[in-house]
Amino acid sequence: MIEISHVNKWYTPSFQVLTDCTTSVTKGEVVVVCGPSGSGKSTLIKCVNALEPFQSGDILVDGTKVNDPKTNLPKLRSRVGMVFQHFELFPHLKIIDNLCLAQEKVLGRPRDKAQTKGMQLLERVGLKEQAQKFPAQLSGGQQQRVAIARALAMDPIVMLFDEPTSALDPEMVSEVLDVMVDLAREGMTMMVVTHEMGFARKVANRVIFMDRGEIVEDASKDDFFGKPRSDRAQKFLSKILSH
Amino acid sequence: MARSRGGHVNYNWNWGIFFQPNPMGTGTYLDMLLSGLALTLKTAALAWVIALITGSIVGVMRTLPSKGANWFGFAYVEFFRNMPLLVQLFLWFFVLPELLPKGAGTWLKQLPNAPFWTAAIGVGFFMSARVAVQLQAGIGSLPRGQKMAATALGLTTVQTYRYVLLPMAFRIILPPLTSEFLNTIKNTAVAITIGLLELTGQARSMQEFSFQVFEAFTAATLLYLLVNAVVVTAMRFLERWVAIPGYITGK
């Protein structure tokens, strides 16, 4: 579903953020990307739907080359759902309109169909009653669940999560993770940048560990948590799992 | 003239002057001032429409990733905001017709209501540079993730601005836009220099015909204050009308 091969990215000629990153996500797979801050994991996931450009290498999503100038990027992006750290709901639109905007303007769905779809998804994330409210009237956890519903409304073939729980109060983390776990169990293809190792243990098929722009470890979940091969991954794990 | 040396000592106050006929035979002096007010409002309204439309386009250009658009926006703003308004009006009114090919220049000079069009367009462009800067700041104040989220959903750049960035940016800059609207109204007074008989112009002719300088300009001042009070009140209503529940815009 996602093929990342030999991707290199520089912010300036002397500052390389991604170094020869190669990995893939197959259909129905849940891949967790972890690593210390500044290791390039958010940058890598943003390269997948071309929110960030990169200088060399290739990324294919469902067979379409992301870095081909001829690729219709809006069309490609409409099939790739993305959830951000800071939710990024559109504050001037009601919750239901947040879910309908791209359905109508990008997919060309008629308003009533978009609304039906939107209400179904709000029900699924447990927020049907909030449909007529505005984002600022919801808690962080609720906003993030709306953001997930908004991405799902586009019927994505794959979902990208960029630290979806990092900006949340601790008591709101689980309500968001619950939605993600359900999604994973239903067979959604997911690439998730997160520090939530509990989530990784529960539903991940594979774990990718990044450090200083490189993919240091790319292993099945059991291998990663059981016996990480690299020193750096071992140290990282021992630090974040020690409490 | 009443305002000359010692004039105020013997000044004859005459508040009844407004109801006396003016020498042009167009009614009373009050009618004269009101026709000036109407012209001020017409000029300001057209200027504000021009300022909002071109200012918005230029303001957006300054936030686009394209270098060319950026450069154009920068040059436009610096050109129109760094030259005094008075000089700009003179340029459009006196210099531009001379620079054009002869036929076009003559056509321009003989245009009916040339002072009105020059004033509206001149003030409009002058104010558009200021609108552009406000809008650029408004867009810049939005979280970077808003544009990313819209892009990630598949919206094109135009759709992203139309449905996501601009609705928020305009809400944020509504208070400074109110000031710019008031400035637009006040700036139309500069058009007196190219012969537009707007409110200030009519107050001055009233003074010249009747020698009642204080009455004339008191009335003009009150009319300006009244218009601006109406604008401020209307904009307050607009701000409340478009306010987003739960969202705090005040900084």
Side-chain angles (χ1 to χ4, degrees):
Chain A
M1 188 64 75
I2 302 175
E3 296 284 340
I4 301 173
S5 53
H6 306 291
V7 167
N8 287 285
K9 177 178 171 68
W10 289 264
Y11 278 135
T12 64
S14 61
F15 181 36
Q16 188 163 11
V17 270
L18 295 176
T19 307
D20 199 31
C21 292
T22 299
T23 187
S24 65
V25 181
T26 58
K27 195 171 184 318
E29 200 176 25
V30 177
V31 173
V32 163
V33 185
C34 62
S37 300
S39 59
K41 34 190 209 308
S42 285
T43 307
L44 180 67
I45 203 169
K46 282 181 185 138
C47 286
V48 172
N49 60 353
L51 288 184
E52 291 271 6
F54 49 93
Q55 282 79 26
S56 74
D58 286 311
I59 297 183
L60 276 83
V61 175
D62 196 30
T64 307
K65 199 163 143 192
V66 170
N67 49 315
D68 185 337
K70 288 196 286 283
T71 297
N72 181 345
L73 279 178
K75 193 170 173 217
L76 176 81
R77 287 176 181 133
S78 72
R79 305 173 66 210
V80 178
M82 184 148 197
V83 176
F84 297 84
Q85 185 176 359
H86 295 285
F87 333 133
E88 305 301 349
L89 297 181
F90 307 135
H92 62 295
L93 297 179
K94 287 178 182 169
I95 297 304
I96 184 67
D97 296 328
N98 261 277
L99 270 73
C100 289
L101 178 67
Q103 289 190 68
E104 289 173 43
K105 305 299 173 195
V106 179
L107 303 180
R109 276 190 193 142
R111 175 124 191 104
D112 54 330
K113 284 206 175 124
Q115 283 203 324
T116 311
K117 175 106 191 162
M119 288 310 289
Q120 278 169 3
L121 285 162
L122 282 180
E123 187 163 17
R124 176 169 169 185
V125 298
L127 293 170
K128 207 173 131 195
E129 283 70 36
Q130 317 292 339
Q132 299 303 320
K133 288 196 179 161
F134 285 86
Q137 297 172 306
L138 269 55
S139 73
Q142 290 174 323
Q143 288 191 49
Q144 193 61 300
R145 280 143 67 198
V146 172
I148 295 173
R150 178 175 71 179
L152 292 175
M154 305 295 285
D155 295 319
I157 51 170
V158 53
M159 287 282 288
L160 308 175
F161 294 82
D162 185 10
E163 305 208 30
T165 57
S166 300
L168 293 174
D169 288 341
E171 77 262 31
M172 291 170 184
V173 170
S174 66
E175 65 187 75
V176 171
L177 289 180
D178 286 347
V179 172
M180 291 169 60
V181 167
D182 285 348
L183 208 53
R185 291 197 170 137
E186 283 161 27
M188 175 62 78
T189 310
M190 292 161 68
M191 186 168 175
V192 186
V193 173
T194 186
H195 295 295
E196 299 294 336
M197 289 302 122
F199 172 81
R201 273 186 205 269
K202 211 184 258 176
V203 292
N205 302 104
R206 268 175 38 239
V207 179
I208 291 171
F209 175 75
M210 290 185 72
D211 191 21
R212 287 177 218 161
E214 283 175 73
I215 294 179
V216 177
E217 191 118 359
D218 184 347
S220 75
K221 171 180 64 179
D222 294 333
D223 285 350
F224 183 77
F225 287 112
K227 41 175 176 24
R229 276 167 297 154
S230 67
D231 264 5
R232 280 186 275 178
Q234 276 172 18
K235 273 189 196 144
F236 178 78
L237 271 182
S238 71
K239 273 183 195 152
I240 65 167
L241 295 178
S242 64
H243 293 287
Chain B
M1 277 207 337
R3 70 156 177 256
S4 58
R5 272 163 290 135
H8 62 281
V9 178
N10 304 320
Y11 191 74
N12 284 316
W13 289 93
N14 177 14
W15 290 102
I17 184 74
F18 296 112
F19 305 103
Q20 290 169 16
N22 68 49
M24 263 105 67
T26 55
T28 61
Y29 278 108
L30 183 63
D31 292 330
M32 221 170 116
L33 287 183
L34 290 179
S35 80
L37 175 66
L39 198 51
T40 289
L41 293 178
K42 255 173 33 187
T43 314
L46 181 56
W48 185 236
V49 169
I50 294 171
L52 266 187
I53 294 173
T54 45
S56 300
I57 295 169
V58 174
V60 165
M61 287 176 88
R62 290 184 53 143
T63 64
L64 290 174
S66 147
K67 277 224 171 74
N70 262 299
W71 185 88
F72 176 83
F74 171 80
Y76 182 95
V77 165
E78 297 311 325
F79 180 82
F80 283 107
R81 114 177 135 168
N82 289 343
M83 218 193 308
L85 176 57
L86 186 65
V87 175
Q88 294 193 26
L89 287 191
F90 281 8
L91 275 182
W92 301 136
F93 196 67
F94 299 114
V95 181
L96 182 67
E98 307 302 328
L99 294 178
L100 291 175
K102 207 155 178 235
T106 313
W107 174 80
L108 207 59
K109 277 191 252 184
Q110 290 168 349
L111 212 60
N113 299 327
F116 166 73
W117 295 109
T118 310
I121 294 170
V123 173
F125 280 154
F126 178 75
M127 294 308 297
S128 73
R130 306 179 55 98
V131 170
V133 173
Q134 301 285 6
L135 185 61
Q136 179 195 7
I139 295 170
S141 75
L142 300 173
R144 224 169 68 89
Q146 288 281 299
K147 191 177 188 176
M148 273 199 184
T151 309
L153 282 165
L155 295 172
T156 60
T157 303
V158 173
Q159 288 174 325
T160 299
Y161 274 89
R162 163 73 183 79
Y163 298 112
V164 176
L165 302 181
L166 290 180
M168 280 312 290
F170 274 117
R171 279 178 171 86
I172 291 169
I173 64 165
L174 216 42
L177 275 191
T178 305
S179 304
E180 299 303 354
F181 190 13
L182 299 180
N183 284 338
T184 305
I185 297 169
K186 290 180 283 181
N187 279 339
T188 56
V190 177
I192 192 179
T193 56
I194 54 171
L196 187 70
L197 282 176
E198 40 66 70
L199 183 50
T200 305
Q202 292 289 18
R204 196 154 76 189
S205 15
M206 175 174 169
Q207 169 222 318
E208 279 164 4
F209 290 131
S210 70
F211 305 109
Q212 303 299 137
V213 61
F214 294 114
E215 290 85 343
F217 278 95
T218 304
T221 304
L222 289 176
L223 288 173
Y224 276 117
L225 285 176
L226 181 73
V227 168
N228 284 359
V230 169
V231 169
V232 168
T233 311
M235 291 297 276
R236 287 278 173 283
F237 273 109
L238 181 63
E239 275 172 44
R240 231 170 293 161
W241 173 256
V242 300
I244 298 158
Y247 187 86
I248 296 119
T249 38
K251 307 216 168 107

